[in-house]
Amino acid sequence: MKSINLKWQQLILGLGCLLLIIACKSFYPTTNSDAKLLKVATDPTFVPFEIQTASGNFEGFDIDLMNVLAKVAGFVVQFESLPFDGMISTLQAKRVDAAISGITITPERLKTIAFSRPYFKAGLAIAVREDNQNIKDFKSLQGKKIAVQIGSTGADFAKTIPNAKISTFNSGPEFFQDLLNGNVDAVVSDAFATLYAIKNGKLKGIKVVANLLTQEYYGIATPKNSPHLDAINKGIETLLSNGTYKQIYQKWFNAEPPQLPDSWALGIGH
Ligand code: GLN
């Protein structure tokens, strides 16, 4: 009799524990364990899109966008710092799930990786030292010494300038230093990043000249046939239509965001 009682007690205790576990589980929804881990590469040398703070945190327009996108699309994002020039081969090798790094959607890149719908309207511009009065447009770049970032659309563009002497650098801070030192006459790079750095006092003695040289759109890049691309695209749609995109744009650029094409099929202006 005694042993039967003990068994009942154990059973009731066991059931009690089980109920407690179930109750706890439903009280604390397990969103994180349900969410898919998304490894996202970024090169945090591109203000104000991706920056790494002294304490090692990532910040910027792209970082904010990716973080809210993860929330609406059910991802947990893990950012990985990667040099811009290695981004495309890393995606091709599927060592990361995605990359957000102010990456311009180009027909060339679309041959090896996939892109989300455009999420940012951008373009290249010429930057020179403040006292330069000669370089004003594409034509005046001919035969000049030009610095560009290796693997960037700026580097591709510079190749089309007749007789230009091109030096390549790994990131923005380096090529602007070369311009300030007088080693090169001009930099061809993404206008927004340069204008932002000038406006915020991070780039002294440099100005942006002429109109934009190109019209470009940034996209979130993934390996080809990525199982995540659909969710990423739907997430961007949601952020565009619910006002979150606009908030992030205003936070970083203090301006109204421009219209974006729905798809890169229409949006490549290169
Ligand atoms: N938008 C340029 C490109 O895609 C540069 C981006 C960057 O430097 N992060 O080539």
Side-chain angles (χ1 to χ4, degrees), residues 45-48 51-52 59 172-173 176-177 180 193-206 252:
T45 61
F46 193 56
V47 287
I51 313 149
Q52 201 158 17
E59 273 180 7
F176 285 124
Q177 197 50 53
L180 282 169
T194 314
L195 288 168
Y196 183 91
I198 292 172
K199 205 169 141 205
N200 290 275
K202 292 198 174 84
L203 259 187
K204 292 204 171 72
I206 286 174
W252 290 99

Side-chain angles (χ1 to χ4, degrees), residues 38-44 50 58 62-63 66 77-84 86-91 95-103 119 219-223:
L38 203 72
K39 275 210 249 170
V40 181
T42 191
D43 179 347
E50 29 274 326
F58 293 101
D62 283 354
I63 307 298
M66 197 67 222
V77 174
Q78 185 188 312
F79 287 108
E80 254 179 57
S81 180
L82 206 72
F84 187 78
M87 208 104 18
I88 290 172
S89 55
T90 306
L91 284 164
R95 282 199 294 273
V96 291
D97 301 305
I100 189 161
S101 208
I103 311 174
Y119 74 84
I220 297 175
T222 67

Side-chain angles (χ1 to χ4, degrees), residues 7-21:
K7 275 200 179 136
W8 274 110
Q9 272 175 6
Q10 280 172 341
L11 193 69
I12 289 165
L13 201 70
L15 276 175
C17 282
L18 199 69
L19 280 175
L20 199 68
I21 291 168

Side-chain angles (χ1 to χ4, degrees), residues 46 84 101-104 109 149 151-153 190 216 218:
F46 193 56
F84 187 78
S101 208
I103 311 174
T104 304
R109 290 172 178 167
Q149 177 175 355
S152 69
T153 46
D190 291 51
E216 303 184 5
Y218 298 159

